Amino acid sequence: MPKKLIKRFLPDRELIKRQKALKIFGNVLYNPNLWCLNRRSAAGAFAIGLFMAFVPLPSQMIMSAGLAILCGVNLPLSIALVWVSNPITMPVLFYFAYKLGAWVLSEPPQHFHFELSWDFIANQMSSIAPPLLVGCTICGIVCAVIGYFGIHGLWRYSVVRSWQKRQLK
């Protein structure tokens, strides 16, 4: 069941191979292990994708692809899961991560109004960056662990349930 459900939402293999940003990985993309979907590769892809979703950089998908290639887990799934932090959810996720980081570092959260300028970014990042990075790291690790063991457990439960159904027939 998890395999069928996951495959339904995965992007096409050829579509991913044609992405210009992924050309930096060269012929490594033709490794069949990166496209295999089993319990180990799905759980690892969930961990990588959910961790990279909390990286506050614009190149999350490329970094997720690189980690998936290094770890030998499902490439499309790890890239797709980065979109947990999309333009709609990103402000909420990063605000929560900032508040968590400020709490962990025992710093009072700063109140600010957003303006789209380099001056604002340069001035605010010196005070916002440490709590944001700490919070993003904590959230990324927690989500990666939950995703890894959650998919591992869900996959195992599905296999055991299908075995039990076969035995009843």
Side-chain angles (χ1 to χ4, degrees):
M1 185 236 150
K3 186 173 186 174
K4 291 177 188 174
L5 180 70
I6 291 171
K7 276 193 170 191
R8 195 168 67 199
F9 292 106
L10 283 179
D12 183 45
R13 179 179 186 169
E14 295 304 317
L15 180 72
I16 291 175
K17 285 181 182 178
R18 285 185 300 217
Q19 293 294 320
K20 290 180 184 178
L22 296 178
K23 296 288 184 195
I24 61 172
F25 296 115
N27 291 334
V28 167
L29 292 177
Y30 296 104
N31 181 353
N33 290 334
L34 299 177
W35 308 98
C36 176
L37 188 60
N38 55 39
R39 181 172 53 187
R40 182 192 147 306
S41 69
F46 261 78
I48 289 171
L50 292 174
F51 178 78
M52 294 310 294
F54 281 94
V55 173
L57 294 173
S59 58
Q60 295 169 318
M61 288 175 56
I62 296 170
M63 292 186 293
S64 179
L67 277 174
I69 290 168
L70 283 175
C71 296
V73 298
N74 190 279
L75 180 66
L77 190 56
S78 66
I79 290 173
L81 281 164
V82 168
W83 282 94
V84 165
S85 66
N86 57 58
I88 296 170
T89 62
M90 195 175 289
V92 175
L93 294 175
F94 288 159
Y95 180 71
F96 175 76
Y98 169 73
K99 293 286 261 187
L100 177 65
W103 178 74
V104 167
L105 296 175
S106 300
E107 291 183 11
Q110 296 185 1
H111 299 285
F112 63 91
H113 69 286
F114 181 76
E115 22 176 291
L116 192 56
S117 69
W118 287 111
D119 187 45
F120 170 78
I121 292 172
N123 289 335
Q124 291 295 321
M125 285 315 273
S126 63
S127 60
I128 292 174
L132 178 65
L133 293 176
V134 167
C136 284
T137 303
I138 293 170
C139 289
I141 290 171
V142 167
C143 286
V145 168
I146 290 171
Y148 181 84
F149 288 112
I151 288 300
H152 225 292
L154 181 65
W155 200 291
R156 181 166 171 72
Y157 171 76
S158 175
V159 169
V160 167
R161 196 176 75 194
S162 68
W163 284 347
Q164 289 172 346
K165 282 182 181 179
R166 262 188 255 146
Q167 286 178 348
L168 291 176
K169 288 183 181 182

